[in-house]
Amino acid sequence: QVQLVQSGGGVVQPGTSLRLSCAASGFTFGSYAMHWVRQAPGKGLEWVAVIGSDGSEKSYVDSVKGRFTISRDRYQLTVFLEMNRLTAADTAMYYCARMITPYDAFDVWGQGTLVSVSS
Amino acid sequence: SYVLAQPPSVSVAPGQTARITCGGNRIGGKSVHWYQQKPGQAPVLVVYDDSDRPSGIPERFSGSHSGNTATLIISRVDAGDEADYYCHLWDSGSDHPWVFGGGTKLSVL
């Protein structure tokens, strides 16, 4: 069964850090680029970050550059999002999703994990 | 950065056909994908590459693409189709290449 299972997240104070995980199963993890997409409360979807299938290429939305780091572990079949210097604007549901080529659809999504940044 | 424009809401009576549009500059040369998101759930892909359906998605869901507009078409709408729908594409010339439309709330009257 193809699935992405997310963990991490929670309520944190501004300026702190958090790491999200997304564990893959049921497919050849190394063949897919992995993305993080977020959704602020009551808002639409926003692409956040991508890591290439071999981990060599990474890209971020401007608002998280220098604060967030995406990585992947080919043995644990997991993609991570390390989030530093969190602000209230980062409060959102975070989803991981897979994609083979850049112009493909996100055909499988994780269940989502909530990040709430509040003092 | 590239912008995809969707109407905030569309309403349709049960059994009728819903059309949700997604407009963007030079969208005709790009593959457009559509997602359905119900409250409290992750998005689900319902149409990819303009008009193809993933396995398990009913034939009632289809897509079209003309000029600067892509359209998600849901025929014989029922209450279970009430959800938010997002279009998405990849714009290779953009700093933020993976772009989503703002979403459309489909209400079944």
Side-chain angles (χ1 to χ4, degrees), chain B residues 20 36-39 79-85 104-108:
Chain B
I20 299 172
Q36 176 194 69
Q37 187 181 34
K38 296 183 177 180
D81 299 327
E82 193 162 278
D84 293 325
Y85 291 85
T104 298
K105 169 67 177 178
L106 175 65
S107 297
V108 181

Side-chain angles (χ1 to χ4, degrees), chain B residues 1-4 22-32 50 65-70 89-94:
Chain B
S1 58
Y2 195 87
V3 176
L4 288 173
C22 175
N25 189 29
R26 305 183 320 276
I27 199 174
K30 308 179 190 300
S31 289
V32 178
D50 302 334
H65 204 163
S66 178
N68 284 332
T69 303
L89 57 72
W90 178 63
D91 179 48
S92 60
S94 174

Side-chain angles (χ1 to χ4, degrees), chain B residues 4-6 21-23 32-35 85-89 99-103:
Chain B
L4 288 173
Q6 296 184 237
T21 59
C22 175
V32 178
H33 319 293
W34 291 91
Y35 305 90
Y85 291 85
Y86 294 91
C87 58
H88 150 236
L89 57 72
V99 183
F100 290 96

Side-chain angles (χ1 to χ4, degrees), chain A residues 30-87:
Chain A
S31 295
Y32 288 81
M34 297 298 297
H35 295 250
W36 289 94
V37 174
R38 69 184 177 182
Q39 186 171 36
K43 302 297 184 182
L45 302 171
E46 179 188 35
W47 172 78
V48 175
V50 61
I51 185 167
S53 58
D54 64 359
S56 61
E57 294 187 26
K58 304 176 185 181
S59 184
Y60 304 89
V61 69
D62 282 349
S63 60
V64 309
K65 281 181 183 175
R67 300 189 300 120
F68 288 15
T69 302
I70 189 170
S71 62
R72 63 191 295 159
D73 185 316
R74 63 179 175 152
Y75 300 109
Q76 295 185 47
L77 308 182
T78 300
V79 61
F80 304 97
L81 187 67
E82 185 76 36
M83 304 183 293
N84 298 317
R85 303 198 306 277
L86 285 161
T87 73

Side-chain angles (χ1 to χ4, degrees), chain B residues 47-70:
Chain B
V47 167
Y48 67 97
D49 292 350
D50 302 334
S51 58
D52 291 332
R53 269 185 321 277
S55 61
I57 300 300
E59 291 183 6
R60 300 186 297 106
F61 288 82
S62 63
S64 68
H65 204 163
S66 178
N68 284 332
T69 303

Side-chain angles (χ1 to χ4, degrees), chain A residues 105-119:
Chain A
F106 298 111
D107 67 336
V108 178
W109 295 67
Q111 82 277 16
T113 187
L114 183 62
V115 174
S116 180
V117 185
S118 173
S119 55

